[in-house]
């Protein structure tokens, strides 16, 4: 399996609090992605990175920010969590922007 | 038209059956395609890549029809362990577009 971990794996938080999710890889892949997965919507891209300090928005980026200061780490921040951001968040990595390999996911509940 | 469309299922089939899923896509410029498998409450895992007309890996065959813009996944001799959701994935620039998945349930 690709060396990719996510932390935390589960989190419960309250509306209005900031939340940061971490994705860590040991594959030295150039591309990293954050998705959310909700029933009926499938996987939707939030933000992605194509190199250190190089990031771009996906289709559902409102309310989220990202940072990538090192090749191996990609952080997703919810500045002020809302109940609509309750979801399962997956990080993925790719060496060539084609095949992607996913982390185990983070289950986030915003009360 | 959605970028990637799949029949959500579920497809309920007995062990040993052959089952096929179709997926249609809208971006005619896409050159490669993927099928991912996702078990309940787990991450998606790459099942097959399709770069030309098709690909075969054991009991699994993926076929591509560029003229009609659809991809199919055929599973022969279904096993209980094949029960999962199968995601059709189409690249677009440096991103992947995921279908919502087709659920397969194999029963004894």
């Amino acid at each position: 399996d690709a060396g990719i971990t996510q932390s935390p794996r589960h989190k419960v938080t309250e509306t209005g609090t900031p939340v940061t999710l971490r994705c860590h890889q040991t594959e030295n892949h150039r591309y990293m992605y954050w998705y959310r997965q909700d029933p009926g919507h499938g996987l939707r891209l939030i933000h992605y990175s194509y190199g250190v300090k190089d990031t771009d928005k996906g289709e559902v980026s409102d309310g989220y920010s990202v940072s990538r200061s090192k090749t191996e780490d990609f952080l997703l921040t919810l500045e002020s969590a809302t109940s609509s951001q309750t979801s399962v968040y997956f990080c993925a990595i790719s060496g060539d922007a084609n095949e992607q390999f996913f982390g185990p996911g983070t289950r986030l509940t915003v009360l | 038209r959605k970028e990637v469309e799949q029949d959500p299922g579920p497809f309920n089939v007995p062990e040993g059956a052959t089952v096929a899923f179709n997926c249609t896509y809208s971006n005619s410029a896409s050159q490669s395609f993927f099928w991912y498998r996702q078990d309940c409450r787990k991450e998606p895992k790459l099942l097959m890549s399709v770069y030309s007309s098709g690909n075969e890996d054991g009991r699994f065959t993926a076929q591509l029809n560029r003229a009609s813009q659809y991809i199919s996944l055929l599973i022969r001799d279904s096993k209980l362990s094949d029960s999962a959701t199968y995601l059709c994935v189409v690249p677009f620039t440096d991103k992947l577009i995921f279908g919502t998945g087709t659920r397969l349930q194999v029963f004894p």
Side-chain angles (χ1 to χ4, degrees):
Chain A
D1 289 344
I4 177 170
T5 57
Q6 293 183 231
S7 59
R9 295 293 313 280
H10 301 269
K11 186 170 182 66
V12 180
T13 191
E14 294 188 348
T15 298
T17 59
V19 176
T20 295
L21 308 183
R22 181 183 184 232
C23 178
H24 179 78
Q25 61 147 329
T26 58
E27 305 295 322
N28 201 36
H29 281 344
R30 176 183 177 189
Y31 296 89
M32 298 185 76
Y33 306 81
W34 276 109
Y35 293 89
R36 61 178 289 174
Q37 187 172 37
D38 306 286
H41 289 281
L43 281 157
R44 292 182 291 174
L45 182 65
I46 304 171
H47 282 280
Y48 67 104
S49 169
Y50 44 95
V52 173
K53 298 192 189 302
D54 291 324
T55 65
D56 206 348
K57 296 179 180 180
E59 65 175 300
V60 291
S61 59
D62 287 348
Y64 301 94
S65 62
V66 290
S67 66
R68 191 170 179 198
S69 58
K70 299 185 290 185
T71 298
E72 57 266 34
D73 289 325
F74 192 32
L75 303 180
L76 177 70
T77 297
L78 291 65
E79 302 290 347
S80 178
T82 68
S83 59
S84 65
Q85 293 175 312
T86 292
S87 188
V88 179
Y89 291 85
F90 287 104
C91 176
I93 62 175
S94 175
D96 60 0
N98 274 302
E99 298 169 349
Q100 293 182 14
F101 301 94
F102 286 80
T106 294
R107 294 188 174 275
L108 176 67
T109 302
V110 183
L111 301 175
Chain B
R1 182 180 182 181
K2 285 187 179 178
E3 292 170 294
V4 180
E5 288 198 78
Q6 295 182 252
D7 181 340
F11 285 61
N12 296 303
V13 303
E15 275 186 291
T18 295
V19 62
F21 312 134
N22 281 339
C23 165
T24 58
Y25 62 94
S26 61
N27 181 18
S28 60
S30 296
Q31 296 297 309
S32 56
F33 305 85
F34 307 99
W35 283 101
Y36 279 73
R37 170 198 168 122
Q38 186 172 26
D39 293 291
C40 188
R41 301 175 74 84
K42 297 286 190 180
E43 73 272 24
K45 292 189 176 180
L46 181 64
L47 178 67
M48 296 185 75
S49 305
V50 187
Y51 291 103
S52 56
S53 61
N55 191 12
E56 185 172 328
D57 183 5
R59 298 183 295 109
F60 297 83
T61 300
Q63 291 190 314
L64 169 62
N65 184 317
R66 291 189 189 276
S68 301
Q69 294 184 213
Y70 78 82
I71 316 143
S72 63
L73 178 67
L74 181 78
I75 305 175
R76 290 180 296 276
D77 189 23
S78 297
K79 311 291 184 191
L80 294 176
S81 57
D82 293 334
S83 297
T85 297
Y86 292 83
L87 308 176
C88 172
V89 185
V90 179
F92 182 70
T93 61
D94 53 358
K95 300 185 284 291
L96 297 182
I97 307 299
F98 287 78
T100 53
T102 297
R103 194 155 71 88
L104 172 66
Q105 184 66 49
V106 182
F107 58 88

